[in-house]
Amino acid sequence: MSDLTLITLSYRSGAQITRCLEALSAQDADIIHADNGSDDLDMAALAAQFPRVRQVQHGANLGFAAGMNRAAALARTEWIGFINPDAYVAPDWTDAMQAAMRRYPDVSIFTALQLNADEPRLMDGAGDCLTFFGFPYRAGLGHLLPDDLQNADVFAPCGAAFVIRRSLFAQLGGFDERFFCYCEDADLGFRARLLGERCIFVPAARTLHVGSASTSVRSDFALWHGYRNRLWLYLKSMPLPLLLITLPIHIGLTLIGALKDTLKGRKALPWSALSAAITGVGPILAARKNIQRERRITSLRLAKSLTWNLTKISRREPDHRRLP
């Protein structure tokens, strides 16, 4: 058994979880399945069907961040992997990740290649990027899968399928539970990068991903949390010199997006989210003080890891950096 625990967290994921656990059970790893109080799962039946999987019931919807944090606290291996319940890892997924770990022993975060589960020739994600004005995006979403993808440095992992050294996850305090869900993966990666850590994209670790299976794409829930958490992510971790330069752009694009969503029928939803972000910003700013005090890289070094190319940003293209 490898020194890796793979964790998946379900919430009303009855249509996907069996396939997910089948894929995870084929891996050389410990497996934990935690559930956030779903009403469409038979946990006893899953325990009987997957005897290798440790079944954990949270009893309520804690959100992705808190639910994964509680499950991760049960792991005792050096590495922890986080897998969405609608993500189906390839049979050699663990082998590919372990090969990358051996090749880059000083790296503590590795993120997988995600392919569209319905159209595998299309990428669903190749790591997460962060624009210079503080908007995260999933690299390569909807683009044709190229033939020449290589291991690369990416800004942050995508939460649907990645691994992290358990000691680093603990040092970071896990996912920020105030986020509940959405942007918590980019937030984790951002904070890790400020400590001088890197994230490596591993294209050989292929994962079929349904995407938004529990909440639906651009649902009110996803949109609300996206607006709130994106602002929190930016204010929490962007160093002051970059914050002062990019704040007008961040605010301007946020307001333009909110206006567009309002005109598309979302009414007051984006404004409600932004209001919640502002009224709840106190703890975020308190966390910011600690993050910036403990930061180990310069603003310039961070700036070099952000995505500045407007074409890449507008097209959600990967911004992969070469590795030695």
Side-chain angles (χ1 to χ4, degrees):
M1 187 72 67
S2 67
D3 199 9
L4 170 66
T5 299
L6 297 178
I7 303 171
T8 189
L9 175 71
S10 58
Y11 177 65
R12 296 179 178 174
S13 307
Q16 297 85 29
I17 194 61
T18 297
R19 184 178 175 185
C20 175
L21 293 178
E22 286 175 348
L24 293 180
S25 295
Q27 307 299 312
D28 180 20
D30 294 335
I31 312 295
I32 295 175
H33 166 224
D35 181 70
N36 267 355
S38 299
D39 54 10
D40 62 346
L41 295 182
D42 185 335
M43 295 292 282
L46 288 175
Q49 185 176 357
F50 301 102
R52 278 192 54 212
V53 178
R54 180 174 182 177
Q55 304 286 344
V56 178
Q57 299 186 57
H58 292 323
N61 185 11
L62 306 179
F64 180 91
M68 280 298 199
N69 284 349
R70 289 197 185 184
L74 303 174
R76 293 295 176 263
T77 52
E78 180 182 2
W79 293 88
I80 307 172
F82 297 100
I83 311 294
N84 274 10
D86 59 356
Y88 316 127
V89 298
D92 61 350
W93 195 90
T94 302
D95 294 337
M97 282 297 188
Q98 289 176 326
M101 293 173 197
R102 290 191 295 269
R103 184 173 179 183
Y104 304 101
D106 61 330
V107 175
S108 295
I109 310 176
F110 297 87
T111 192
L113 169 63
Q114 297 167 205
L115 302 173
N116 187 306
D118 296 322
E119 192 69 45
R121 67 191 184 92
L122 298 179
M123 290 190 292
D124 181 76
D128 278 3
C129 298
L130 187 72
T131 67
F132 67 93
F133 48 84
F135 281 28
Y137 72 89
R138 202 185 310 166
L141 180 64
H143 287 257
L144 283 171
L145 177 66
D147 296 326
D148 58 349
L149 277 179
Q150 303 292 324
N151 290 348
D153 190 329
V154 295
F155 185 83
C158 180
F162 79 98
V163 298
I164 183 171
R165 206 181 298 269
R166 184 162 63 97
S167 58
L168 175 60
F169 189 73
Q171 181 182 357
L172 293 168
F175 295 109
D176 188 335
E177 298 183 6
R178 289 167 293 213
F179 280 47
F180 196 75
C181 58
Y182 295 103
C183 294
E184 72 291 313
D185 48 359
D187 171 73
L188 185 83
F190 200 162
R191 290 184 284 122
R193 190 160 286 272
L194 291 177
L195 293 179
E197 300 288 342
R198 292 187 296 159
C199 175
I200 290 185
F201 166 65
V202 184
R206 296 194 170 201
T207 310
L208 296 178
H209 186 219
V210 175
S212 302
S214 298
T215 60
S216 81
V217 177
R218 295 285 286 178
S219 67
D220 286 353
F221 179 88
L223 192 70
W224 193 93
H225 284 84
Y227 269 105
R228 186 195 67 174
N229 294 353
R230 188 174 64 193
L231 182 57
W232 280 357
L233 176 149
Y234 174 69
L235 294 176
K236 186 177 161 190
S237 293
M238 190 67 79
L240 185 59
L242 292 172
L243 187 73
L244 293 176
I245 294 170
T246 62
L247 184 60
I249 302 173
H250 185 98
I251 292 176
L253 291 177
T254 297
L255 294 178
I256 290 171
L259 180 59
K260 286 182 177 179
D261 282 322
T262 300
L263 296 176
K264 290 178 181 178
R266 299 305 179 101
K267 299 181 181 178
L269 188 145
W271 309 104
S272 168
L274 292 174
S275 175
I278 294 169
T279 57
V281 79
I284 299 301
L285 295 180
R288 174 186 173 80
K289 292 181 180 179
N290 293 329
I291 291 168
Q292 299 304 321
R293 183 175 61 248
E294 297 172 1
R295 174 163 58 95
R296 298 177 187 169
I297 64 172
T298 65
S299 297
L300 178 59
R301 183 175 165 188
L302 176 70
K304 290 179 179 179
S305 69
L306 303 176
T307 299
W308 295 80
N309 186 304
L310 295 179
T311 300
K312 287 184 177 182
I313 292 171
S314 63
R315 290 173 47 82
R316 292 180 173 264
E317 292 179 358
D319 190 10
H320 292 169
R321 312 300 171 87
R322 287 185 179 182
L323 293 167

